[in-house]
Amino acid sequence: MAHLNRILLTGASGGLGTLLRTGIAKMCTHLRLSSRYGLGQAGPNEEHAICDLSDADAVLEMTRDVDMVIHMGGVGRENTFDAILQSNYVGFYNLYEGCRKNRVKRVIWGSSNHAIGFYSRTQRIDASVPTRPDSNYGVSKVFGEGLAQYYWDKFDLESVSIRIGSCFPKPLDRRMLTTWLSYPDFINLTECCLTAPRVEHTIVYGVSDNDSVLWDNHMAAHLGYRPKDNAEVHRAEIEAATEPHDRDDLAIAVHGGGFAAAGHFED
Ligand code: 15L
């Protein structure tokens, strides 16, 4: 197992943050966890910081004396524009400014498949395609990827933007037979992002080795990510439990599924 020094994990009380907290803690010397909420009992090499990402001074302090950041904080699905603005724009900018000023080497963060959610399922895509966000949430991830590229090009701050598919213990519907990312594959992908010698700004699709995968990770081959799980083993169970979709239903016709099919959140 790789050994790392000082890591900051944001969004540590959320679903994916909680998963990484246990997955990453044993790989590093010191793990600083941040959240807006309580984080429970601190582990032996853990330090806790209660921090609102929209507070620039607090984020500057939180990013001090860390080598790399895993950023899972922010709004994780469609919401009001104001909620997304504070967390995924202002908070994300504060994080990158904190990292730049504190000379953090690398940020690994949870972008989303919803940055490209309006691509048709007839298209298999790689990381070079223009973005096609399917929601205001997806647009905020496009902003994040743009900021990550900018901070690499101008300030040599490295990033991996992980376009996470559907990270759950198992696929929950027919679409997730394509988009599923298993928990062990996600932990392994995060470890690859932390340990790859040089990443510049890499965009990688966070997806398992599903037979029907629509995302091609050849542009992120330098990360060395080799997913092991395959949603196909859950197909019979999912098909028995769910109705087939109409082929024209956006919930199945495009990569982003229900996010693309939903109306405008604030209407
Ligand atoms: C996401 O970005 C969400 O955070 C997650 O809750 C899932 O809905 C996922 O996308 C997905 O596309 O399945």
Side-chain angles (χ1 to χ4, degrees), residues 16 75-77 111-114 137 141 164-168 175-176 179 215 255-257 259:
L16 298 185
V75 170
R77 58 185 61 83
S111 182
S112 170
N113 73 90
H114 298 291
Y137 164 69
K141 297 300 184 179
I164 299 173
S166 307
C167 192
F168 296 101
R175 167 180 170 268
M176 291 190 195
T179 60
W215 303 323
H255 293 212
F259 282 58

Side-chain angles (χ1 to χ4, degrees), residues 1-7 24-30 45 67-68 191 194-195:
M1 183 184 296
H3 199 74
L4 305 157
N5 289 325
R6 300 174 64 89
I7 305 290
I24 299 298
K26 51 187 178 290
M27 293 178 210
C28 60
T29 313
H30 187 85
N45 62 343
D67 302 305
M68 296 195 196
E191 186 178 355
L194 290 164
T195 56

